[in-house]
């Protein structure tokens, strides 16, 4: 037990919100729970009729392709994470037909101590096209949907370099959220081995070891929590850290990731981070200081447009963005490597 404050409730708005209200929400750059945003989905109606009904609804359409599934033994308490020595992940992966996974998930729902099991971040249009046709998020009509379905599981605190709307279809989902600036207080784990594709927080937000991770107390002061019921959704701004708990024997989420404002052909910021670690992290402090100033000038434009004093024909790689410029820069980087 700790004396940390309880997370404050995430702001809520009665839905479904329209485009104008959603634009205002995004401009606020804070998480917001959208109550009833997808309450009219047929899949939500099936989920409200019970676990058997939602499994039947998802099984009515033969899946187009296999899915990847993960499972952890009951001893892990539903938490998909690392083994204690950080040498491996604490779950197994497998692939198979989605219908078989649903059958196993439904069977596990009546077991007193089932294994943790989930299908995560599978592309819905290529898996269940009829589901996508019948269950649409009007706010983001052109953004591909992902499906997350499993039993009582816990996903470690992580961030996405995207904006996110996550819609709860079945069961309850609880989100614990932290602003991006708390990365230092969340103790990110390894890059090379991660349960989420990017480093996740090493701290269990529900049972934090403050002796080992004392700065988490600072993050906890700014934590928010929002719980979704079937038909609700949540907006998560770009870069916000979030832990996700599924609180029901069968829990399903559909989410939508997108990155507005990024020019076509831009490089991957995450890949650039890895390259920056390679290039700068092990320099002497005085050299790091020099490069910090250079990067602030060219990348973060601390003094304004770094090409403003140059004529258009001489701006080169710091000129206006375009697909051809990005292609040229990628070619330069490939040659340098």
């Amino acid at each position: 037990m700790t004396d940390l404050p309880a997370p404050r409730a995430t702001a809520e708005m009665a839905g479904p919100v329209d485009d104008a209200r959603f634009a205002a929400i995004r401009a606020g750059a804070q998480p917001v729970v959208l109550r009833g945003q997808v309450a009219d989905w047929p899949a939500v109606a099936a989920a409200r009729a019970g676990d058997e009904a939602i499994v039947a609804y998802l099984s009515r359409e033969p899946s187009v392709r296999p899915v990847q599934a993960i499972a952890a033994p009951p001893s892990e308490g539903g938490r998909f994470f690392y083994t204690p020595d950080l040498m491996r992940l604490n779950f197994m992966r497998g692939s198979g037909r989605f219908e078989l996974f649903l059958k196993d998930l439904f069977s596990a729902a009546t077991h007193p101590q089932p294994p943790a099991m989930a299908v995560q971040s599978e592309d819905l249009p290529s898996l269940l096209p009829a589901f996508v046709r019948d269950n649409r998020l009007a706010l983001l009509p052109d953004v591909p949907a992902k499906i997350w379905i499993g039993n009582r599981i816990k996903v470690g605190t992580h961030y996405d370099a995207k904006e996110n709307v996550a819609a709860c279809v079945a069961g309850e989902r609880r989100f614990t959220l932290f602003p991006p600036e708390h990365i230092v207080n969340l103790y990110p784990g390894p890059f090379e081995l991660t349960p989420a594709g990017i480093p996740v927080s090493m701290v269990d937000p529900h049972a934090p070891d403050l002796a080992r991770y004392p700065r988490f107390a600072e993050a906890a002061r700014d934590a928010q929590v929002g719980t979704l019921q079937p038909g609700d959704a949540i907006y998560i701004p770009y870069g916000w850290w979030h832990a996700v708990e599924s609180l029901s024997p069968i829990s399903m989420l559909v989410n939508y990731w997108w990155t507005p404002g990024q020019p076509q052909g831009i490089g991957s910021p995450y890949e650039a981070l890895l390259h920056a670690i390679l290039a700068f992290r092990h320099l002497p402090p005085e050299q790091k200081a020099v490069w910090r100033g250079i990067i602030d000038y060219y990348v973060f434009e601390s003094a304004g447009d770094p090409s403003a004093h140059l004529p258009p024909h001489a701006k080169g790689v710091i000129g206006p963005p375009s697909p051809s410029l990005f292609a040229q820069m990628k070619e330069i980087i490939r040659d340098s490597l």
Side-chain angles (χ1 to χ4, degrees):
M1 298 295 291
T2 70
D3 295 325
L4 295 179
R8 65 181 176 88
T10 299
E12 297 187 8
M13 186 172 290
V17 302
D18 58 17
D19 290 344
R21 292 167 73 196
F22 187 53
I25 289 169
R26 291 182 56 223
Q30 291 283 322
V32 177
V33 171
L34 309 174
R35 294 292 179 203
Q37 186 67 35
V38 297
D40 62 343
W41 280 10
V44 171
R48 287 174 172 164
D51 292 346
E52 186 173 6
I54 185 59
V55 168
Y57 181 85
L58 294 171
S59 302
R60 70 194 175 112
E61 174 188 9
S63 57
V64 174
R65 55 171 177 79
V67 296
Q68 295 289 319
I70 59 176
S75 58
E76 298 299 332
R79 189 184 187 204
F80 292 133
F81 200 59
Y82 296 97
T83 56
D85 59 7
L86 297 186
M87 295 296 291
R88 299 179 307 280
L89 299 174
N90 70 347
F91 54 87
M92 299 178 294
R93 301 183 189 272
S95 63
R97 305 303 301 177
F98 186 52
E99 297 89 335
L100 294 178
F101 172 82
L102 291 173
K103 181 179 179 180
D104 290 343
L105 181 65
F106 185 68
S107 296
T110 59
H111 196 282
Q113 288 188 307
M117 52 194 302
V119 164
Q120 298 187 316
S121 192
E122 287 282 351
D123 179 73
L124 257 177
S126 64
L127 179 68
L128 300 174
F131 181 99
V132 174
R133 181 195 65 220
D134 297 338
N135 300 272
R136 291 189 174 275
L137 183 65
L139 293 176
L140 301 167
D142 300 320
V143 178
K146 303 280 188 178
I147 184 173
W148 307 70
I149 184 168
N151 51 7
R152 291 187 176 96
I153 59 174
K154 300 174 184 176
V155 175
T157 311
H158 64 286
Y159 69 93
D160 301 309
K162 299 176 175 69
E163 293 187 58
N164 185 7
V165 169
C168 182
V169 174
E172 285 187 305
R173 292 260 175 160
R174 182 162 58 209
F175 289 76
T176 304
L177 306 110
F178 305 88
E181 60 267 25
H182 278 294
I183 182 172
V184 66
N185 301 319
L186 291 170
Y187 298 88
F191 278 83
E192 297 80 4
L193 179 69
T194 169
I198 57 174
V200 303
S201 172
M202 297 301 298
V203 187
D204 182 346
H206 311 293
D209 183 348
L210 295 184
R212 189 172 185 181
Y213 306 116
R215 292 194 306 270
F216 179 75
E218 294 297 319
R221 292 187 178 95
D222 282 340
Q224 302 183 23
V225 65
T227 301
L228 307 186
Q229 304 291 336
D232 296 336
I234 186 171
Y235 168 69
I236 303 176
Y238 187 100
W240 272 67
W241 291 76
H242 50 287
V244 188
E245 297 173 90
S246 304
L247 305 176
S248 306
I250 293 181
S251 181
M252 177 180 167
L253 192 79
V254 174
N255 92 296
Y256 303 80
W257 281 313
W258 79 106
T259 50
Q262 292 192 1
Q264 181 181 357
I266 194 173
S268 163
Y270 186 74
E271 291 174 6
L273 171 63
L274 295 175
H275 199 165
I277 292 172
L278 172 67
F280 302 123
R281 184 168 184 266
H282 301 289
L283 293 178
E286 64 276 11
Q287 294 180 22
K288 284 184 180 178
V290 170
W291 281 105
R292 181 181 294 113
I294 293 171
I295 292 170
D296 282 346
Y297 175 73
Y298 280 111
V299 178
F300 300 109
E301 300 181 308
S302 58
D305 181 1
S307 72
H309 59 285
L310 297 173
H313 71 272
K315 292 180 184 292
V317 299
I318 57 172
S322 69
S324 61
L325 175 64
F326 297 144
Q328 177 189 355
M329 294 177 69
K330 291 175 182 178
E331 188 63 34
I332 292 171
I333 292 170
R334 278 193 292 267
D335 291 343
S336 71
L337 292 175

